[in-house]
Amino acid sequence: MKILLVEDEAALRTALLASLKQAGYLAEAAADYAQAHEKIMLYQYDCILLDLTLPDGSGLDLLRALKAGGSPTGVLIITARDALDDKIAGLDLGADDYLIKPFHLSELNARVRAIIRRRQFNGQQQIVFRDLLVLPELAEVHVRGELITLTRKEYDLLLYLLANPGRVLTKEAIAEHLCGDAVDAADSFDFIYTHLKNLRKKLQEKGADNYIRTMYGVGYKLSHE
Amino acid sequence: MKILLVEDEAALRTALLASLKQAGYLAEAAADYAQAHEKIMLYQYDCILLDLTLPDGSGLDLLRALKAGGSPTGVLIITARDALDDKIAGLDLGADDYLIKPFHLSELNARVRAIIRRRQFNGQQQIVFRDLLVLPELAEVHVRGELITLTRKEYDLLLYLLANPGRVLTKEAIAEHLCGDAVDAADSFDFIYTHLKNLRKKLQEKGADNYIRTMYGVGYKLSHE
DNA sequence: CTTCAACAAGGAGAATTTTCATGGGCTGGG
DNA sequence: CCCAGCCCATGAAAATTCTCCTTGTTGAAG
């Protein structure tokens, strides 16, 4: 789950970023409008935490740009108590929720969870693909009824594939999904092989073969047969 | 057990808060409508003690907001003798009980206990999970028939896990549940390890192994096998 | 058909992150 | 005042994630 935090105040940004990572999200931060805009255009996030008052522009413009691009990203607005107009405008523009400063961490987490749950597989309780059964709520994966334990990256990788059934995913896309902006164009993406290998192995051990097909020179995809 | 006390009169608020803490609850207080509303939206309480006459609004509106949100929280209304209409309205709106000022502390405690008993695990007299038997009324935990003594935090932690069987609970969710609004962003949640360790140890001593599974990098959950 | 270059797979182990255990200080109730 | 229980810091242990290197495979050009 990738989250972008847009907040200009350094202390708060750091604290929130730490909290989000602690809660298990792949969190990144932008300090101003320019940074945020770049990241929004560059990557796809599951949820954006948006402070409306930025030193070099309004968060509302960011929101507008995002929604104009037809992005499915969830947006949680973070605003000062006195900026009620902004709040209303934000909701009109397609934000999912808002939160008034100062707020409590657990409250933030609860709202983020709610937004992500709403989006993730349309809130399905379970995802079925051939012999696979995934229960997102319990973070459990079953193969032919047997529970298997995956590491976090393996789990994320599997869900990414399941979220795009049949579509070809390039190494780069996978790496970016798993690691966020920590990856660079110059980086090697070999570590994807490792996770892919481990995931395949764990699936094959339970007799689920050939779920992940290699498209030579392109990427990988889930195959239906 | 988390309780929110909504009461504007400072002296009474302090006294009741102390009494509730004394009785072993995790009690927090709100002095007015605004505070109470924020906290209600923020956290999930097991029970709310609600004074209907607040300086900046009616407790009835709070109750309405709460029930509109589908909250399962129990509500005990605290009201002056002359506000009979309010009392009736409150019960119509889904309050569980009412108490007329002035009242005895023991009376309050009895009512709170009754409400919580009714709500907790749907009023079950006992909770069974594998070899575990918990009697919420007596705050007793038995493992394979043997009584074990837990500290308050250990007990709360166990009940929190039992209330969310199979679901993954992050460290900060646990911390917030155990400590209420006393936790903050910069805090470390390492102390959870200590309670977890102590609880596990006490369970294992009686032969109940592997009940609490560690989800590396995510959190903890009760495991069914 | 052969050869080459790019790509993919696999194994081993280093690096990093997360969790656990121990001990000490602090606090609040008795 | 004492003590159980809670919180926190430190360092050890464990699990995961990533890197490196070798080997095998594929597709296309000659």
Side-chain angles (χ1 to χ4, degrees):
Chain A
M1 286 302 107
K2 276 177 64 179
I3 295 182
L4 177 65
L5 169 66
V6 184
E7 166 64 56
D8 56 325
E9 197 196 326
L12 183 58
R13 189 175 62 243
T14 310
L16 291 182
L17 198 64
S19 161
L20 289 167
K21 285 184 177 171
Q22 173 76 21
Y25 300 113
L26 190 67
E28 304 169 8
D32 52 35
Y33 183 96
Q35 270 186 35
H37 190 263
E38 188 179 327
K39 280 185 177 285
I40 284 175
M41 293 298 130
L42 222 57
Y43 304 114
Q44 179 145 348
Y45 296 94
D46 296 284
C47 182
I48 296 178
L49 276 49
L50 186 58
D51 185 0
L52 289 185
T53 58
L54 299 170
D56 56 343
S58 164
L60 285 178
D61 292 331
L62 271 180
L63 182 55
R64 226 179 309 256
L66 195 74
K67 291 299 170 183
S71 167
T73 304
V75 177
L76 174 61
I77 289 181
I78 301 169
T79 181
R81 182 172 296 279
D82 52 2
L84 282 180
D85 291 350
D86 285 352
K87 182 192 87 185
I88 292 166
L91 289 177
D92 280 348
L93 281 173
D96 293 69
D97 205 347
Y98 66 93
L99 199 53
I100 292 176
K101 291 190 200 179
F103 50 82
H104 207 275
L105 260 195
S106 54
E107 169 63 4
L108 177 76
N109 278 322
R111 306 251 175 156
V112 170
R113 234 184 343 257
I115 289 179
I116 284 184
R117 181 171 42 230
R118 212 175 306 144
R119 314 225 151 230
Q120 190 178 33
F121 296 96
N122 298 319
Q124 284 174 28
Q125 290 294 306
Q126 59 178 38
I127 305 154
V128 180
F129 182 85
R130 295 175 65 184
D131 287 345
L132 277 175
L133 169 66
V134 181
L135 306 169
E137 191 85 357
L138 308 179
E140 280 183 358
V141 179
H142 298 257
V143 182
R144 302 189 176 195
E146 262 189 283
L147 175 67
I148 62 175
T149 58
L150 300 179
T151 71
R152 164 191 272 278
K153 284 276 197 285
E154 286 159 15
Y155 181 76
D156 283 353
L157 172 56
L158 179 59
L159 249 64
Y160 187 41
L161 286 164
L162 285 171
N164 302 68
R167 198 160 324 148
V168 181
L169 304 174
T170 65
K171 275 204 305 287
E172 287 76 10
I174 294 172
E176 197 241 292
H177 183 83
L178 292 184
C179 303
D181 62 359
V183 299
D184 214 331
D187 282 3
S188 100
F189 300 105
D190 288 358
F191 67 93
I192 295 296
Y193 293 141
T194 306
H195 294 304
L196 211 57
K197 177 191 66 178
N198 293 336
L199 178 57
R200 276 173 164 160
K201 189 161 140 201
K202 286 182 180 176
L203 292 181
Q204 283 179 6
E205 272 173 7
K206 303 296 175 185
D209 275 346
N210 294 339
Y211 277 35
I212 303 167
R213 175 132 27 122
T214 301
M215 311 297 285
Y216 190 91
V218 185
Y220 302 87
K221 71 172 198 181
L222 278 184
S223 86
H224 270 287
E225 26 78 52
Chain B
M1 286 304 105
K2 277 174 66 176
I3 294 183
L4 177 65
L5 169 65
V6 185
E7 168 63 57
D8 56 323
E9 197 196 326
L12 183 57
R13 187 174 66 244
T14 310
L16 291 182
L17 198 63
S19 163
L20 289 168
K21 285 183 177 172
Q22 170 79 17
Y25 300 113
L26 191 67
E28 301 169 8
D32 54 35
Y33 182 95
Q35 269 187 35
H37 186 77
E38 190 176 325
K39 281 189 175 282
I40 284 175
M41 295 295 130
L42 224 64
Y43 304 113
Q44 181 145 348
Y45 295 94
D46 297 284
C47 181
I48 296 179
L49 276 48
L50 185 59
D51 185 0
L52 289 186
T53 59
L54 299 171
D56 55 344
S58 165
L60 286 178
D61 292 330
L62 273 180
L63 183 54
R64 227 180 308 255
L66 195 73
K67 292 300 169 182
S71 167
T73 304
V75 177
L76 173 60
I77 289 182
I78 302 170
T79 181
R81 179 170 301 278
D82 52 2
L84 282 180
D85 291 350
D86 283 353
K87 183 192 84 186
I88 291 166
L91 291 178
D92 280 348
L93 281 173
D96 293 69
D97 204 349
Y98 66 93
L99 200 52
I100 292 178
K101 294 189 200 178
F103 48 79
H104 274 284
L105 276 187
S106 55
E107 176 68 8
L108 177 75
N109 277 321
R111 305 255 178 150
V112 169
R113 222 173 8 245
I115 288 178
I116 284 184
R117 179 171 49 229
R118 210 176 309 144
R119 308 246 150 212
Q120 193 174 37
F121 296 94
N122 298 319
Q124 287 172 23
Q125 293 294 308
Q126 58 180 37
I127 306 153
V128 179
F129 182 85
R130 296 173 65 183
D131 287 344
L132 277 175
L133 169 66
V134 181
L135 306 171
E137 305 226 11
L138 309 172
E140 278 184 1
V141 179
H142 299 257
V143 182
R144 302 189 178 194
E146 266 189 281
L147 175 66
I148 62 175
T149 58
L150 299 179
T151 70
R152 168 145 296 283
K153 287 276 197 282
E154 286 159 14
Y155 180 75
D156 282 353
L157 173 56
L158 180 59
L159 251 64
Y160 187 40
L161 286 163
L162 286 170
N164 302 68
R167 193 139 346 131
V168 182
L169 305 175
T170 64
K171 273 204 303 287
E172 64 271 19
I174 294 172
E176 196 242 293
H177 183 84
L178 292 184
C179 304
D181 58 3
V183 297
D184 210 338
D187 283 4
S188 100
F189 301 105
D190 287 359
F191 69 93
I192 295 296
Y193 293 141
T194 307
H195 295 302
L196 210 57
K197 182 194 67 174
N198 293 335
L199 177 58
R200 276 173 164 161
K201 190 160 140 201
K202 287 182 180 176
L203 293 181
Q204 282 180 9
E205 274 173 5
K206 302 297 176 185
D209 272 346
N210 296 338
Y211 279 35
I212 303 167
R213 172 130 46 109
T214 302
M215 310 293 285
Y216 190 95
V218 185
Y220 302 87
K221 69 180 207 176
L222 277 185
S223 85
H224 271 285
E225 26 82 50

